[in-house]
Amino acid sequence: MKSAERRVMVQARDVVKFYGRFKALDQVSLTIHEGEKIVIIGPSGSGKSTLLRSINRLEEIDGGSMVVNGMDLYSPKTDLTRVREEVGMVFQAFNLFPHKTVLENITLAQTVVRRRSREEAREKALGLLSKVGLSDKANAYPGRLSGGQQQRVAIARSLAMDPKIMLFDEPTSALDPEMIGEVLDVMKELAREGMTMAVVTHEMGFAREVADRVVFMDHGAVVEEEVPEQFFTSPKHPRARQFLSQIL
Amino acid sequence: MTFKEPTKQKVDVGDGAAIPTKSDRGLFTAWRFAFVGAIGALAYLAWSKPDPYLEIIRFVPDGIAVTFKVTVGAILLALVFGLITGLGRISSNRFFNGLASLYVEVIRGIPLLVQIFYIYYALGRFVKIPDLFSAIIAMAVCYGAYMGEVFRAGIQSIPKGQMEAALSLGMTREQAMGHVILPQAFKVVLPPVGNEFIALLKDSSLVSILAVADLLRRGREYASESFTYFETYTVIALIYLIITLFFSKLIGIMEERINEER
């Protein structure tokens, strides 16, 4: 792994997060380099999503620091929107804008945030739609699409911003089993193209195939960080062993 | 892990006339019965006893126009007040939030008639504006508070993920509000706003207490000259009934259209 020479995209240091008195993140440190794909796994309530969501500050942290794309998220000088436009995010619930067509979903932020012209945004959107295999759905409303199709549109919507890193928060957890594959295929394709990715998922096959590193979390802490081969065959930590025996 | 698609909840605020829907057959026939009955009764009275009924009917239309001016003017202004108040109520800015909450609490705690008197005479003390405008402002200040609650509920009914998705794309809160949240919230609040409109139409009769010649006041003027109190108020009540029934139907149809669009 020659990650040492690569640019650091995300640098989380000793991140602490409380929900009331519940400690959701307990001194979590994580580094993601440019081009790296990490998969975060762990039992529910272990803080995976919270950690991911703190990377674009959808979740406020209560301690530690978070530097993304060279910008300190908590520095008063940082314009948060400038950080977020470089950080794509895909949600479990898709969160497409139901009052806008598929095409409008993908062009909105391009025109409003990136200030691209309508034609430019449209062209970009159509290109991405064909990439995720939904060219024929450009003028449909999200409500008319299946879950898998909606999630692929959501990925296209994020990609339209030309993000430097993509965050995936359980992107297939709300999907019927037969639709999981089509979404994972898009994500694998993205990984092959060299996108920096952080993925929270329960899809172990995906983790094994795509991840450069698997980050195992439990009780708000990173318990083990390992290459997938090593992690899945001989996990060091007993909790990781227990978790894997339960799901595999 | 299972995920449930958040269901669009209907915001039910307001105490206006019931809006009939297709699925509500009983109400629909009740509506038809009342509407046709009211028009029929008015026509029959005018035909069978032209004096005084036809004369009353000829005398009051000026008042209908004023009632509409007050209602439409007040609802438009109330929408503006309501939107600002609703945004204030969900704002993280303490001052803005506190101000909006105070406005709502104060207005909700004072009877409408008292507010109308108060605002009318308070305004009259400092600025010289036509009575009609004072009446409109008084109604709007009151209904703005109720409308604020409608907007607050409407905005809060939009799933949290919508704001998060917009923010994650690099939009500012304001951009997200304008492009993503409010367009969806407007559809949600349309039925309760319709209800408020009808409630306001009826409450606009309160301005007759001021020097504003609305429908009710025109009726009072006629009645006090001719001493035909019973006949006049029969006509006035029927006209109000016809107007509110007409609008509740219209709003019901609009609501159905929007639901089909979704």
Side-chain angles (χ1 to χ4, degrees):
Chain A
M1 188 113 319
K2 39 187 178 64
S3 55
E5 309 136 39
R6 284 195 247 166
R7 214 164 90 81
V8 173
M9 276 307 304
V10 176
Q11 180 76 268
R13 277 210 185 94
D14 302 325
V15 170
V16 176
K17 166 76 186 175
F18 284 96
Y19 290 119
R21 294 179 61 185
F22 175 71
K23 208 173 205 177
L25 292 178
D26 188 3
Q27 306 262 319
V28 173
S29 295
L30 179 73
T31 308
I32 306 174
H33 292 93
E34 195 166 22
E36 217 179 0
K37 295 116 194 57
I38 68 151
V39 171
I40 306 171
I41 62 173
S44 42
S46 59
K48 313 175 296 272
S49 287
T50 307
L51 175 62
L52 197 75
R53 288 162 56 84
S54 67
I55 294 176
N56 63 354
R57 209 174 153 178
L58 283 184
E59 225 51 85
E60 296 278 319
I61 62 176
D62 299 310
S65 69
M66 181 69 76
V67 179
V68 177
N69 195 25
M71 291 177 269
D72 181 351
L73 256 53
Y74 291 87
S75 155
K77 279 180 286 178
T78 300
D79 180 355
L80 200 52
T81 61
R82 294 287 84 79
V83 181
R84 283 174 174 156
E85 59 180 62
E86 309 290 346
V87 181
M89 187 165 214
V90 175
F91 301 85
Q92 182 183 355
F94 327 134
N95 296 345
L96 292 179
F97 307 135
H99 61 301
K100 295 195 175 288
T101 64
V102 164
L103 191 70
E104 288 164 347
N105 262 277
I106 306 176
T107 53
L108 179 64
Q110 291 191 67
T111 50
V112 171
V113 179
R114 288 276 193 233
R115 307 223 160 271
R116 289 176 188 153
S117 70
R118 282 186 176 281
E119 296 76 57
E120 197 187 350
R122 197 184 131 83
E123 208 134 292
K124 178 105 191 163
L126 290 175
L128 285 164
L129 275 178
S130 95
K131 180 177 172 162
V132 300
L134 291 170
S135 293
D136 54 330
K137 301 291 184 193
N139 295 313
Y141 281 88
R144 303 262 170 221
L145 304 184
S146 72
Q149 291 171 330
Q150 289 193 49
Q151 194 60 299
R152 284 186 279 154
V153 172
I155 294 173
R157 177 176 69 177
S158 280
L159 290 177
M161 300 298 287
D162 297 316
K164 296 211 163 64
I165 177 171
M166 285 285 287
L167 311 175
F168 293 85
D169 189 4
E170 303 205 26
T172 58
S173 297
L175 295 177
D176 291 333
E178 74 269 22
M179 294 171 183
I180 292 176
E182 62 190 63
V183 172
L184 291 181
D185 284 345
V186 170
M187 291 166 63
K188 286 174 194 166
E189 160 96 36
L190 207 54
R192 270 195 297 277
E193 289 168 7
M195 175 64 77
T196 312
M197 292 163 72
V199 184
V200 172
T201 186
H202 296 287
E203 296 295 325
M204 295 305 139
F206 176 84
R208 219 182 244 269
E209 187 182 331
V210 173
D212 294 318
R213 236 181 331 139
V214 173
V215 175
F216 177 75
M217 290 184 72
D218 192 32
H219 293 301
V222 172
V223 174
E224 190 163 344
E225 245 185 293
E226 195 52 87
V227 291
E229 197 49 41
Q230 195 76 29
F231 180 79
F232 286 110
T233 49
S234 52
K236 289 188 208 78
H237 202 279
R239 283 205 173 276
R241 272 203 292 275
Q242 193 194 350
F243 177 76
L244 286 176
S245 72
Q246 274 166 358
I247 58 158
L248 289 180
Chain B
M1 195 175 280
T2 53
F3 164 77
K4 253 177 128 186
E5 184 77 24
T7 47
K8 274 256 159 57
Q9 64 194 85
K10 278 241 169 91
V11 186
D12 194 21
V13 191
D15 51 357
I19 296 174
T21 62
K22 252 188 202 157
S23 55
D24 217 341
R25 282 284 159 195
L27 205 60
F28 178 71
T29 46
W31 179 89
R32 188 185 288 173
F33 185 76
F35 190 66
V36 174
I39 292 180
L42 206 58
Y44 175 75
L45 288 172
W47 172 76
S48 66
K49 271 181 86 180
D51 180 28
Y53 285 111
L54 195 58
E55 279 184 40
I56 300 168
I57 294 170
R58 285 209 183 111
F59 188 79
V60 295
D62 294 355
I64 298 178
V66 173
T67 287
F68 271 108
K69 274 184 204 162
V70 172
T71 305
V72 173
I75 197 87
L76 291 178
L77 205 54
L79 281 171
V80 175
F81 291 167
L83 181 58
I84 296 170
T85 309
L87 288 171
R89 294 271 283 170
I90 56 163
S91 168
S92 52
N93 181 318
R94 274 196 168 178
F95 175 74
F96 192 31
N97 189 314
L99 200 66
S101 302
L102 188 68
Y103 168 55
V104 172
E105 289 307 323
V106 167
I107 293 299
R108 287 211 290 201
I110 301 173
L112 178 53
L113 189 55
V114 177
Q115 287 176 44
I116 289 174
F117 271 130
Y118 187 82
I119 295 170
Y120 182 78
Y121 289 112
L123 276 175
R125 216 163 163 164
F126 302 111
V127 279
K128 265 269 159 285
I129 53 171
D131 294 338
L132 182 68
F133 285 127
S134 323
I136 287 175
I137 291 170
M139 296 293 295
V141 167
C142 167
Y143 268 78
Y146 292 93
M147 214 69 97
E149 289 304 277
V150 170
F151 276 111
R152 181 189 56 74
I155 291 168
Q156 285 179 339
S157 78
I158 305 303
K160 199 166 79 83
Q162 292 289 306
M163 175 58 89
E164 291 184 349
L167 291 179
S168 77
L169 287 164
M171 286 189 221
T172 62
R173 252 171 206 288
E174 292 70 28
Q175 288 170 335
M177 222 9 125
H179 290 286
V180 177
I181 306 298
L182 287 181
Q184 295 183 62
F186 284 142
K187 281 189 185 175
V188 180
V189 301
L190 192 79
V193 164
N195 266 333
E196 292 292 309
F197 175 79
I198 290 164
L200 201 153
L201 185 80
K202 290 186 292 180
D203 278 348
S204 75
S205 61
L206 290 171
V207 304
S208 65
I209 214 91
L210 312 171
V212 176
D214 76 327
L215 177 55
L216 180 57
R217 193 179 174 95
R218 286 291 280 176
R220 252 176 37 191
E221 284 168 10
Y222 187 88
S224 59
E225 273 173 32
S226 63
F227 302 106
T228 53
Y229 289 100
F230 171 71
E231 293 83 351
T232 306
Y233 288 124
T234 302
V235 171
I236 298 293
L238 284 172
I239 293 177
Y240 270 117
L241 183 60
I242 291 167
I243 295 173
T244 47
L245 284 172
F246 173 77
F247 277 105
S248 59
K249 186 72 185 166
L250 194 70
I251 290 162
I253 292 170
M254 263 163 66
E255 195 190 331
E256 244 162 50
R257 288 261 166 88
I258 282 188
N259 282 338
E260 276 161 23
E261 246 176 59
R262 240 180 235 167

